[in-house]
Amino acid sequence: MKEATDIFSSWATTGRDEGMEKGHSAAVTEMLEVAIPKLIQPFTAIDIGCGNGWVVRKLATLGASHVEGIDGAEEMVMKARKIDPNGIYHHARLPEWKPEYRFDLVHSMEFLYYLKQPQEMLAIIHDEWLENGGWLVAGVDHYQEHEQSLQWPKQLQVHMTTMTINEWKSAMQKAGFQHIKVWQTAAKENSPGTLSMLGQKATYS
């Protein structure tokens, strides 16, 4: 089996990262349209699996006063830094790496299922990455109800954790999130769309 980070590094060198941006733009736009109105402006944010940094740059235009990106693919991070020299991009492996700060918003698109224990990562995000009252919004295109995506692990020769919609919702609940919303967006021909998940860390007085 290949490492997902190696695949994405090779994609960065061949320009496929631009196709990823185009393919995920509609889903990410809707996810952020749902999440950002729940935040107090201005807000801080981090994008997990930031690729070439396109969501980081998008968040900076949507009210983020401080925004960072993290990705395990070195070539992707190098490309993000080249496009956005003033941006903050980290090259590191997850879940081992921890941010220096906590954030009002954590965004992730097409990252969680590459982990062997995505449930563990959700709990880490809730407990260690988010400010009290902060929000996670995450999208995955590989899930049980998306039948075409079930071939991806074999096609790419990379590990993917396959979970149902209900299992993802349960994982959010077990991680401690409240006000959870799970929905599908940006449906396309032969695809039920991105499974999007939104949840808040409790606000404590």
PDB file of all heavy atoms in Angstrom, residues 92-104:
ATOM      1  N   ALA A  92       3.647  18.343   8.194  1.00  0.00           N
ATOM      2  CA  ALA A  92       3.735  17.451   9.353  1.00  0.00           C
ATOM      3  C   ALA A  92       2.744  16.313   9.202  1.00  0.00           C
ATOM      4  O   ALA A  92       1.802  16.381   8.409  1.00  0.00           O
ATOM      5  CB  ALA A  92       3.449  18.225  10.640  1.00  0.00           C
ATOM      6  N   ARG A  93       2.969  15.269   9.979  1.00  0.00           N
ATOM      7  CA  ARG A  93       2.087  14.109   9.984  1.00  0.00           C
ATOM      8  C   ARG A  93       1.043  14.256  11.080  1.00  0.00           C
ATOM      9  O   ARG A  93       1.316  14.779  12.159  1.00  0.00           O
ATOM     10  CB  ARG A  93       2.908  12.839  10.243  1.00  0.00           C
ATOM     11  CG  ARG A  93       3.998  12.587   9.231  1.00  0.00           C
ATOM     12  CD  ARG A  93       3.460  12.044   7.943  1.00  0.00           C
ATOM     13  NE  ARG A  93       2.823  10.756   8.107  1.00  0.00           N
ATOM     14  CZ  ARG A  93       2.767   9.831   7.153  1.00  0.00           C
ATOM     15  NH1 ARG A  93       3.340  10.057   5.987  1.00  0.00           N
ATOM     16  NH2 ARG A  93       2.146   8.694   7.359  1.00  0.00           N
ATOM     17  N   LEU A  94      -0.121  13.764  10.782  1.00  0.00           N
ATOM     18  CA  LEU A  94      -1.212  13.756  11.757  1.00  0.00           C
ATOM     19  C   LEU A  94      -1.601  12.311  12.052  1.00  0.00           C
ATOM     20  O   LEU A  94      -1.475  11.451  11.177  1.00  0.00           O
ATOM     21  CB  LEU A  94      -2.410  14.530  11.202  1.00  0.00           C
ATOM     22  CG  LEU A  94      -2.170  16.033  11.002  1.00  0.00           C
ATOM     23  CD1 LEU A  94      -3.357  16.649  10.274  1.00  0.00           C
ATOM     24  CD2 LEU A  94      -1.934  16.729  12.315  1.00  0.00           C
ATOM     25  N   PRO A  95      -2.012  12.042  13.291  1.00  0.00           N
ATOM     26  CA  PRO A  95      -2.429  12.983  14.344  1.00  0.00           C
ATOM     27  C   PRO A  95      -1.319  13.453  15.272  1.00  0.00           C
ATOM     28  O   PRO A  95      -1.589  14.128  16.257  1.00  0.00           O
ATOM     29  CB  PRO A  95      -3.468  12.172  15.117  1.00  0.00           C
ATOM     30  CG  PRO A  95      -2.976  10.759  15.006  1.00  0.00           C
ATOM     31  CD  PRO A  95      -2.368  10.648  13.634  1.00  0.00           C
ATOM     32  N   GLU A  96      -0.048  13.103  14.970  1.00  0.00           N
ATOM     33  CA  GLU A  96       1.030  13.407  15.918  1.00  0.00           C
ATOM     34  C   GLU A  96       1.243  14.913  16.108  1.00  0.00           C
ATOM     35  O   GLU A  96       1.491  15.373  17.229  1.00  0.00           O
ATOM     36  CB  GLU A  96       2.339  12.762  15.447  1.00  0.00           C
ATOM     37  CG  GLU A  96       2.329  11.255  15.440  1.00  0.00           C
ATOM     38  CD  GLU A  96       1.673  10.642  14.221  1.00  0.00           C
ATOM     39  OE1 GLU A  96       1.329  11.406  13.287  1.00  0.00           O
ATOM     40  OE2 GLU A  96       1.498   9.415  14.199  1.00  0.00           O
ATOM     41  N   TRP A  97       1.175  15.681  15.034  1.00  0.00           N
ATOM     42  CA  TRP A  97       1.440  17.121  15.109  1.00  0.00           C
ATOM     43  C   TRP A  97       0.306  17.847  15.826  1.00  0.00           C
ATOM     44  O   TRP A  97      -0.867  17.493  15.680  1.00  0.00           O
ATOM     45  CB  TRP A  97       1.588  17.695  13.711  1.00  0.00           C
ATOM     46  CG  TRP A  97       1.915  19.161  13.662  1.00  0.00           C
ATOM     47  CD1 TRP A  97       3.142  19.741  13.783  1.00  0.00           C
ATOM     48  CD2 TRP A  97       0.992  20.240  13.448  1.00  0.00           C
ATOM     49  NE1 TRP A  97       3.046  21.112  13.664  1.00  0.00           N
ATOM     50  CE2 TRP A  97       1.739  21.444  13.459  1.00  0.00           C
ATOM     51  CE3 TRP A  97      -0.387  20.307  13.261  1.00  0.00           C
ATOM     52  CZ2 TRP A  97       1.152  22.697  13.287  1.00  0.00           C
ATOM     53  CZ3 TRP A  97      -0.981  21.542  13.092  1.00  0.00           C
ATOM     54  CH2 TRP A  97      -0.224  22.721  13.101  1.00  0.00           C
ATOM     55  N   LYS A  98       0.664  18.847  16.620  1.00  0.00           N
ATOM     56  CA  LYS A  98      -0.335  19.657  17.317  1.00  0.00           C
ATOM     57  C   LYS A  98      -0.088  21.132  17.007  1.00  0.00           C
ATOM     58  O   LYS A  98       1.061  21.583  16.968  1.00  0.00           O
ATOM     59  CB  LYS A  98      -0.247  19.447  18.835  1.00  0.00           C
ATOM     60  CG  LYS A  98      -0.488  18.015  19.296  1.00  0.00           C
ATOM     61  CD  LYS A  98      -1.912  17.569  19.052  1.00  0.00           C
ATOM     62  CE  LYS A  98      -2.216  16.240  19.722  1.00  0.00           C
ATOM     63  NZ  LYS A  98      -1.408  15.121  19.210  1.00  0.00           N
ATOM     64  N   PRO A  99      -1.138  21.905  16.786  1.00  0.00           N
ATOM     65  CA  PRO A  99      -0.967  23.338  16.518  1.00  0.00           C
ATOM     66  C   PRO A  99      -0.540  24.089  17.781  1.00  0.00           C
ATOM     67  O   PRO A  99      -0.810  23.647  18.904  1.00  0.00           O
ATOM     68  CB  PRO A  99      -2.353  23.774  16.062  1.00  0.00           C
ATOM     69  CG  PRO A  99      -3.288  22.809  16.709  1.00  0.00           C
ATOM     70  CD  PRO A  99      -2.554  21.500  16.776  1.00  0.00           C
ATOM     71  N   GLU A 100       0.093  25.218  17.561  1.00  0.00           N
ATOM     72  CA  GLU A 100       0.536  26.056  18.688  1.00  0.00           C
ATOM     73  C   GLU A 100      -0.643  26.749  19.350  1.00  0.00           C
ATOM     74  O   GLU A 100      -0.611  27.056  20.540  1.00  0.00           O
ATOM     75  CB  GLU A 100       1.549  27.081  18.185  1.00  0.00           C
ATOM     76  CG  GLU A 100       2.159  27.949  19.268  1.00  0.00           C
ATOM     77  CD  GLU A 100       3.218  28.892  18.738  1.00  0.00           C
ATOM     78  OE1 GLU A 100       3.550  28.793  17.529  1.00  0.00           O
ATOM     79  OE2 GLU A 100       3.702  29.728  19.515  1.00  0.00           O
ATOM     80  N   TYR A 101      -1.674  27.045  18.550  1.00  0.00           N
ATOM     81  CA  TYR A 101      -2.837  27.771  19.048  1.00  0.00           C
ATOM     82  C   TYR A 101      -4.090  26.909  18.902  1.00  0.00           C
ATOM     83  O   TYR A 101      -4.115  25.918  18.173  1.00  0.00           O
ATOM     84  CB  TYR A 101      -3.046  29.072  18.252  1.00  0.00           C
ATOM     85  CG  TYR A 101      -1.825  29.934  18.141  1.00  0.00           C
ATOM     86  CD1 TYR A 101      -1.047  29.912  16.992  1.00  0.00           C
ATOM     87  CD2 TYR A 101      -1.453  30.781  19.173  1.00  0.00           C
ATOM     88  CE1 TYR A 101       0.080  30.712  16.880  1.00  0.00           C
ATOM     89  CE2 TYR A 101      -0.340  31.583  19.082  1.00  0.00           C
ATOM     90  CZ  TYR A 101       0.428  31.545  17.918  1.00  0.00           C
ATOM     91  OH  TYR A 101       1.552  32.334  17.818  1.00  0.00           O
ATOM     92  N   ARG A 102      -5.157  27.343  19.554  1.00  0.00           N
ATOM     93  CA  ARG A 102      -6.486  26.783  19.310  1.00  0.00           C
ATOM     94  C   ARG A 102      -7.242  27.725  18.381  1.00  0.00           C
ATOM     95  O   ARG A 102      -6.964  28.929  18.350  1.00  0.00           O
ATOM     96  CB  ARG A 102      -7.247  26.595  20.626  1.00  0.00           C
ATOM     97  CG  ARG A 102      -6.637  25.518  21.526  1.00  0.00           C
ATOM     98  CD  ARG A 102      -7.371  25.415  22.848  1.00  0.00           C
ATOM     99  NE  ARG A 102      -6.722  24.473  23.741  1.00  0.00           N
ATOM    100  CZ  ARG A 102      -7.165  23.248  24.023  1.00  0.00           C
ATOM    101  NH1 ARG A 102      -8.296  22.830  23.469  1.00  0.00           N
ATOM    102  NH2 ARG A 102      -6.512  22.450  24.842  1.00  0.00           N
ATOM    103  N   PHE A 103      -8.185  27.188  17.638  1.00  0.00           N
ATOM    104  CA  PHE A 103      -8.845  27.946  16.584  1.00  0.00           C
ATOM    105  C   PHE A 103     -10.358  27.999  16.770  1.00  0.00           C
ATOM    106  O   PHE A 103     -10.951  27.117  17.375  1.00  0.00           O
ATOM    107  CB  PHE A 103      -8.509  27.328  15.222  1.00  0.00           C
ATOM    108  CG  PHE A 103      -7.045  27.366  14.888  1.00  0.00           C
ATOM    109  CD1 PHE A 103      -6.213  26.311  15.258  1.00  0.00           C
ATOM    110  CD2 PHE A 103      -6.494  28.435  14.227  1.00  0.00           C
ATOM    111  CE1 PHE A 103      -4.864  26.331  14.971  1.00  0.00           C
ATOM    112  CE2 PHE A 103      -5.148  28.475  13.933  1.00  0.00           C
ATOM    113  CZ  PHE A 103      -4.323  27.429  14.301  1.00  0.00           C
ATOM    114  N   ASP A 104     -10.958  29.037  16.195  1.00  0.00           N
ATOM    115  CA  ASP A 104     -12.413  29.166  16.196  1.00  0.00           C
ATOM    116  C   ASP A 104     -13.043  28.234  15.161  1.00  0.00           C
ATOM    117  O   ASP A 104     -14.181  27.796  15.333  1.00  0.00           O
ATOM    118  CB  ASP A 104     -12.819  30.612  15.883  1.00  0.00           C
ATOM    119  CG  ASP A 104     -12.245  31.599  16.882  1.00  0.00           C
ATOM    120  OD1 ASP A 104     -12.359  31.340  18.090  1.00  0.00           O
ATOM    121  OD2 ASP A 104     -11.680  32.626  16.448  1.00  0.00           O
TER     122      ASP A 104
END
